[in-house]
Amino acid sequence: MSDVHELLDTWIANATDDELLAELKAMKEAGDEDAITDAFFQDLAFGTAGLRGTIGAGTNRMNIYTVGRATQGFANYLNENFENPTVAIARDSRNKGELFVKTTAAILAANGVTAYVYPKISPVPTLSWATRYLQCSGGICMTASHNPAPYNGYKAYGPDGCQITSEAADAISAAMNATDPFADVKTMDFDEAVEQGRVKWIGDEVLDAYYDAVLKCSVCNLTEEQSAAAPLKLVYTPLNGTGLIPVTTVLNRAGITDITVVPEQKDPDGDFPTCPYPNPEIREAMQKGIDLCAEVQPDLLLATDPDADRVGVACQDGDDYTLLTGNEMGVLLLDYICKMRAERGEDLADKVAVTTIVSSAMVDALAQEYGFELRRCLTGFKYIGDIITGLSDAGQVDRYIFGFEESYGYLSGDHVRDKDAVNASLLICQMAQYYKLQGKNLVQAMRELYEKYGYYHNRTISLSYPGADGAAKMAGIMAALRETAPEEIAGAKVEAVVDYVDGVNGLPKANVIEFDLEGGDKAIVRPSGTEPKIKLYIFAKGADAASADAQLDAIEEAGRKLLS
């Protein structure tokens, strides 16, 4: 009998959750080898992003036992490294979120770790905020970001409000590996833990303080008269996630009140019935909002993902609506922040902006224009958060002005250490008002920046490698690229190969390979740390939009062949 079948029998013998037990028995009775293998061929990996996987029975699934095992490992780590440890916990609108939160809080409580729990769904940035505000030893958010409905996840945070360090993740993972999910996990009744004060509810005052902190991030220089002359009309969709209350609260307090919410995507719903991928990067997720825009005729469409750490924007462009990319919005926001600060007479030479190695090269042109220091880090907002923390520890946090990822994540303040769609939504709307006074929308403003700095175009392609053999195939592709790097890509000579596996320019080690092409274009290959995908990031600069896109098309075609 194979290992997966032994594990299946062990789970059937020990699982007490009726729903999971029924799923396990059905799996065994059906004799579905593919389903059994996929459910048990590996443990969900615990990395710096924590856990993420589809909901269901098995070691490779999100359920109360895999969540319990991770939490026991986290509790062991906290008790070894902190005196009287505490943890803040939140969840987004995903299915099983409340169950996983209560499971986690009860296990922490049984291990002597006090849990502070948001009583309602709440965005990722509010979890980072609560961890810092309540001076907790760590934080946990039940979220799978913008993944499809079958997914949930478990994001772990350190006391600085950043996703945990690699060292902490390794220590927690080691503790997990020594933990039997059925025999070694300490727990207690959740309601008893609340009664005993081992689990405490996070009060409204914490959220109110967060809203105040976000509003302090405003860089708007418009007078009341100017704002009145450019009233903003907005269509907004929280994509059935957590953004509705925090985003509209902050915008209303900033005087932006003409907000039409997409009705089909207004209420929290873990099934995300209007789109398979609740991701504002994808037009399909934005389509309900675009349809409503045809009726409302707003200045822009704003969309936040389920855990409200990412935000996407579309604006009218002729007869249609154009979606701004994450790179474009990052460039627009950084340019706007620099303009507003310069108007106030601030010296930008002392300021620091942060982005990632896979973000637009156009940011370098902005750094040259405005004179700020640009720092690039690895992919993952935790690395941007680490830089903010480093500045804070050095007493220089006021130098930080903005950080962004190409994957629609932005942050302009030091109030949290993760991307913040509530903060970004405020900045985007105020920036839209600034440009509205000049008679243009954000798409038109971006085109002006292209005309000024050059057409820096980017594209991200995700290639999937599902199933039990997917991880092995991904590893084989990366090994082959390292062993025999291509001499040319899309007819352009590969002038340099930068392999981040051993660390580059002081950055941590990473499974990333960069191919620098003659003429300044490049391609970067990076396996996802949370999904069975390899991401291909491609960059081209052209004399105009059409030539830049043509170069991207050629690099994409060659890249897909390399990764097949």
Side-chain angles (χ1 to χ4, degrees), residues 529-562:
T530 56
E531 302 171 83
K533 294 179 178 179
I534 291 180
K535 291 190 175 183
L536 173 66
Y537 304 86
I538 54 180
F539 307 79
K541 183 184 179 185
D544 53 38
S547 62
D549 285 339
Q551 288 166 247
L552 287 182
D553 290 340
I555 299 171
E556 177 180 347
E557 183 180 357
R560 286 182 179 274
K561 290 178 182 176
L562 271 177

Short mmCIF file of all heavy atoms in Angstrom, two decimals, residues 529-562:
data_model
loop_
_atom_site.label_atom_id
_atom_site.label_comp_id
_atom_site.label_asym_id
_atom_site.label_seq_id
_atom_site.Cartn_x
_atom_site.Cartn_y
_atom_site.Cartn_z
N GLY A 529 5.81 31.18 -5.40
CA GLY A 529 6.01 30.52 -4.11
C GLY A 529 4.73 29.98 -3.51
O GLY A 529 4.77 29.26 -2.51
N THR A 530 3.57 30.31 -4.10
CA THR A 530 2.29 29.92 -3.50
C THR A 530 1.39 29.13 -4.44
O THR A 530 0.40 28.58 -4.01
CB THR A 530 1.51 31.17 -3.04
OG1 THR A 530 1.37 32.06 -4.17
CG2 THR A 530 2.26 31.90 -1.94
N GLU A 531 1.74 29.08 -5.74
CA GLU A 531 0.90 28.39 -6.71
C GLU A 531 1.78 27.57 -7.66
O GLU A 531 2.97 27.88 -7.83
CB GLU A 531 0.09 29.41 -7.54
CG GLU A 531 -0.79 30.33 -6.73
CD GLU A 531 -1.38 31.43 -7.58
OE1 GLU A 531 -2.40 31.19 -8.24
OE2 GLU A 531 -0.82 32.53 -7.60
N PRO A 532 1.22 26.53 -8.30
CA PRO A 532 2.01 25.73 -9.26
C PRO A 532 2.15 26.46 -10.59
O PRO A 532 1.63 26.05 -11.62
CB PRO A 532 1.18 24.45 -9.38
CG PRO A 532 -0.22 24.88 -9.15
CD PRO A 532 -0.14 25.98 -8.12
N LYS A 533 2.88 27.57 -10.57
CA LYS A 533 3.04 28.41 -11.75
C LYS A 533 4.47 28.92 -11.86
O LYS A 533 5.16 29.09 -10.85
CB LYS A 533 2.11 29.63 -11.69
CG LYS A 533 0.62 29.32 -11.75
CD LYS A 533 -0.20 30.61 -11.66
CE LYS A 533 -1.70 30.32 -11.77
NZ LYS A 533 -2.48 31.56 -11.66
N ILE A 534 4.89 29.14 -13.10
CA ILE A 534 6.10 29.91 -13.34
C ILE A 534 5.65 31.22 -13.98
O ILE A 534 4.85 31.24 -14.91
CB ILE A 534 7.09 29.18 -14.28
CG1 ILE A 534 7.69 27.97 -13.56
CG2 ILE A 534 8.20 30.13 -14.71
CD1 ILE A 534 8.68 27.19 -14.41
N LYS A 535 6.17 32.32 -13.45
CA LYS A 535 5.84 33.63 -14.00
C LYS A 535 6.98 34.13 -14.87
O LYS A 535 8.16 34.04 -14.49
CB LYS A 535 5.54 34.62 -12.88
CG LYS A 535 4.25 34.31 -12.13
CD LYS A 535 3.83 35.43 -11.20
CE LYS A 535 2.48 35.15 -10.57
NZ LYS A 535 2.02 36.25 -9.70
N LEU A 536 6.61 34.64 -16.03
CA LEU A 536 7.56 35.23 -16.96
C LEU A 536 7.27 36.72 -17.04
O LEU A 536 6.17 37.12 -17.46
CB LEU A 536 7.43 34.57 -18.34
CG LEU A 536 8.25 35.21 -19.48
CD1 LEU A 536 9.74 35.03 -19.23
CD2 LEU A 536 7.86 34.59 -20.82
N TYR A 537 8.21 37.52 -16.62
CA TYR A 537 8.07 38.97 -16.67
C TYR A 537 8.89 39.49 -17.84
O TYR A 537 10.10 39.20 -17.93
CB TYR A 537 8.58 39.62 -15.38
CG TYR A 537 7.94 39.11 -14.11
CD1 TYR A 537 8.43 37.97 -13.46
CD2 TYR A 537 6.85 39.76 -13.53
CE1 TYR A 537 7.86 37.50 -12.28
CE2 TYR A 537 6.27 39.30 -12.35
CZ TYR A 537 6.78 38.17 -11.74
OH TYR A 537 6.21 37.71 -10.57
N ILE A 538 8.27 40.23 -18.75
CA ILE A 538 8.99 40.73 -19.91
C ILE A 538 8.89 42.25 -19.99
O ILE A 538 7.88 42.84 -19.61
CB ILE A 538 8.51 40.07 -21.22
CG1 ILE A 538 7.00 40.20 -21.40
CG2 ILE A 538 8.91 38.60 -21.23
CD1 ILE A 538 6.48 39.57 -22.68
N PHE A 539 9.97 42.86 -20.47
CA PHE A 539 10.11 44.31 -20.46
C PHE A 539 10.63 44.76 -21.82
O PHE A 539 11.58 44.19 -22.35
CB PHE A 539 11.11 44.75 -19.39
CG PHE A 539 10.83 44.22 -18.01
CD1 PHE A 539 11.17 42.91 -17.66
CD2 PHE A 539 10.23 45.01 -17.05
CE1 PHE A 539 10.91 42.42 -16.39
CE2 PHE A 539 9.98 44.54 -15.78
CZ PHE A 539 10.31 43.23 -15.45
N ALA A 540 10.01 45.81 -22.38
CA ALA A 540 10.47 46.37 -23.65
C ALA A 540 10.22 47.87 -23.65
O ALA A 540 9.24 48.36 -23.08
CB ALA A 540 9.75 45.72 -24.82
N LYS A 541 11.13 48.60 -24.29
CA LYS A 541 10.94 50.03 -24.47
C LYS A 541 10.96 50.34 -25.96
O LYS A 541 11.88 49.91 -26.67
CB LYS A 541 12.05 50.83 -23.76
CG LYS A 541 11.86 52.34 -23.88
CD LYS A 541 13.02 53.10 -23.25
CE LYS A 541 12.83 54.61 -23.41
NZ LYS A 541 14.00 55.38 -22.92
N GLY A 542 9.92 51.04 -26.41
CA GLY A 542 9.83 51.36 -27.83
C GLY A 542 9.67 52.84 -28.07
O GLY A 542 9.40 53.62 -27.14
N ALA A 543 9.79 53.21 -29.34
CA ALA A 543 9.61 54.61 -29.71
C ALA A 543 8.15 55.03 -29.58
O ALA A 543 7.83 56.20 -29.40
CB ALA A 543 10.09 54.84 -31.14
N ASP A 544 7.27 54.04 -29.67
CA ASP A 544 5.84 54.29 -29.49
C ASP A 544 5.21 53.03 -28.93
O ASP A 544 5.88 52.00 -28.77
CB ASP A 544 5.17 54.72 -30.81
CG ASP A 544 5.45 53.74 -31.94
OD1 ASP A 544 5.49 52.50 -31.69
OD2 ASP A 544 5.61 54.20 -33.08
N ALA A 545 3.91 53.09 -28.63
CA ALA A 545 3.23 51.96 -27.99
C ALA A 545 3.25 50.72 -28.87
O ALA A 545 3.47 49.60 -28.40
CB ALA A 545 1.80 52.35 -27.64
N ALA A 546 3.04 50.91 -30.16
CA ALA A 546 2.96 49.76 -31.07
C ALA A 546 4.28 49.02 -31.15
O ALA A 546 4.31 47.78 -31.12
CB ALA A 546 2.53 50.23 -32.46
N SER A 547 5.39 49.75 -31.24
CA SER A 547 6.68 49.07 -31.34
C SER A 547 7.05 48.38 -30.03
O SER A 547 7.61 47.27 -30.04
CB SER A 547 7.77 50.06 -31.75
OG SER A 547 7.93 51.08 -30.77
N ALA A 548 6.71 49.00 -28.91
CA ALA A 548 6.98 48.35 -27.62
C ALA A 548 6.18 47.06 -27.49
O ALA A 548 6.70 46.03 -27.03
CB ALA A 548 6.66 49.30 -26.48
N ASP A 549 4.90 47.10 -27.89
CA ASP A 549 4.06 45.90 -27.81
C ASP A 549 4.54 44.80 -28.74
O ASP A 549 4.46 43.61 -28.42
CB ASP A 549 2.61 46.25 -28.11
CG ASP A 549 1.94 46.98 -26.96
OD1 ASP A 549 2.43 46.87 -25.81
OD2 ASP A 549 0.92 47.66 -27.19
N ALA A 550 5.03 45.20 -29.93
CA ALA A 550 5.54 44.20 -30.88
C ALA A 550 6.75 43.48 -30.29
O ALA A 550 6.91 42.26 -30.45
CB ALA A 550 5.90 44.88 -32.20
N GLN A 551 7.62 44.24 -29.60
CA GLN A 551 8.76 43.62 -28.95
C GLN A 551 8.31 42.68 -27.84
O GLN A 551 8.87 41.58 -27.68
CB GLN A 551 9.68 44.70 -28.39
CG GLN A 551 10.45 45.49 -29.44
CD GLN A 551 11.07 46.76 -28.88
OE1 GLN A 551 10.68 47.87 -29.24
NE2 GLN A 551 12.03 46.60 -27.98
N LEU A 552 7.30 43.09 -27.07
CA LEU A 552 6.78 42.21 -26.03
C LEU A 552 6.22 40.92 -26.61
O LEU A 552 6.44 39.83 -26.08
CB LEU A 552 5.68 42.93 -25.23
CG LEU A 552 6.09 44.04 -24.27
CD1 LEU A 552 4.86 44.58 -23.55
CD2 LEU A 552 7.11 43.55 -23.24
N ASP A 553 5.48 41.03 -27.72
CA ASP A 553 4.91 39.84 -28.36
C ASP A 553 5.99 38.84 -28.74
O ASP A 553 5.85 37.63 -28.52
CB ASP A 553 4.11 40.24 -29.61
CG ASP A 553 2.82 40.99 -29.28
OD1 ASP A 553 2.35 40.89 -28.14
OD2 ASP A 553 2.31 41.67 -30.18
N ALA A 554 7.08 39.37 -29.31
CA ALA A 554 8.16 38.49 -29.75
C ALA A 554 8.85 37.82 -28.56
O ALA A 554 9.15 36.62 -28.59
CB ALA A 554 9.17 39.29 -30.57
N ILE A 555 9.08 38.59 -27.50
CA ILE A 555 9.73 38.02 -26.31
C ILE A 555 8.82 37.00 -25.64
O ILE A 555 9.26 35.95 -25.16
CB ILE A 555 10.14 39.13 -25.33
CG1 ILE A 555 11.14 40.10 -25.97
CG2 ILE A 555 10.76 38.52 -24.06
CD1 ILE A 555 11.42 41.34 -25.14
N GLU A 556 7.51 37.29 -25.60
CA GLU A 556 6.58 36.34 -25.00
C GLU A 556 6.57 35.02 -25.75
O GLU A 556 6.60 33.94 -25.13
CB GLU A 556 5.15 36.92 -24.99
CG GLU A 556 4.13 35.93 -24.42
CD GLU A 556 2.71 36.45 -24.39
OE1 GLU A 556 2.51 37.68 -24.58
OE2 GLU A 556 1.80 35.63 -24.17
N GLU A 557 6.50 35.08 -27.08
CA GLU A 557 6.48 33.84 -27.88
C GLU A 557 7.73 33.00 -27.61
O GLU A 557 7.64 31.78 -27.39
CB GLU A 557 6.40 34.19 -29.37
CG GLU A 557 6.31 32.96 -30.26
CD GLU A 557 6.23 33.31 -31.74
OE1 GLU A 557 6.18 34.51 -32.08
OE2 GLU A 557 6.21 32.37 -32.57
N ALA A 558 8.89 33.65 -27.58
CA ALA A 558 10.13 32.92 -27.31
C ALA A 558 10.16 32.39 -25.87
O ALA A 558 10.62 31.27 -25.61
CB ALA A 558 11.33 33.84 -27.56
N GLY A 559 9.66 33.19 -24.94
CA GLY A 559 9.65 32.79 -23.54
C GLY A 559 8.76 31.59 -23.28
O GLY A 559 9.12 30.70 -22.50
N ARG A 560 7.61 31.56 -23.93
CA ARG A 560 6.71 30.41 -23.76
C ARG A 560 7.36 29.12 -24.24
O ARG A 560 7.19 28.05 -23.63
CB ARG A 560 5.39 30.65 -24.50
CG ARG A 560 4.46 31.66 -23.81
CD ARG A 560 3.16 31.82 -24.55
NE ARG A 560 2.25 32.74 -23.89
CZ ARG A 560 1.40 32.41 -22.92
NH1 ARG A 560 1.35 31.15 -22.51
NH2 ARG A 560 0.61 33.32 -22.38
N LYS A 561 8.12 29.20 -25.31
CA LYS A 561 8.82 28.01 -25.81
C LYS A 561 9.89 27.57 -24.82
O LYS A 561 10.08 26.37 -24.57
CB LYS A 561 9.45 28.32 -27.17
CG LYS A 561 8.44 28.48 -28.30
CD LYS A 561 9.12 28.84 -29.60
CE LYS A 561 8.08 29.04 -30.72
NZ LYS A 561 8.71 29.49 -31.98
N LEU A 562 10.60 28.54 -24.23
CA LEU A 562 11.63 28.21 -23.25
C LEU A 562 11.06 27.48 -22.04
O LEU A 562 11.71 26.61 -21.46
CB LEU A 562 12.30 29.49 -22.76
CG LEU A 562 13.51 30.03 -23.52
CD1 LEU A 562 13.97 31.34 -22.89
CD2 LEU A 562 14.65 29.01 -23.55
#
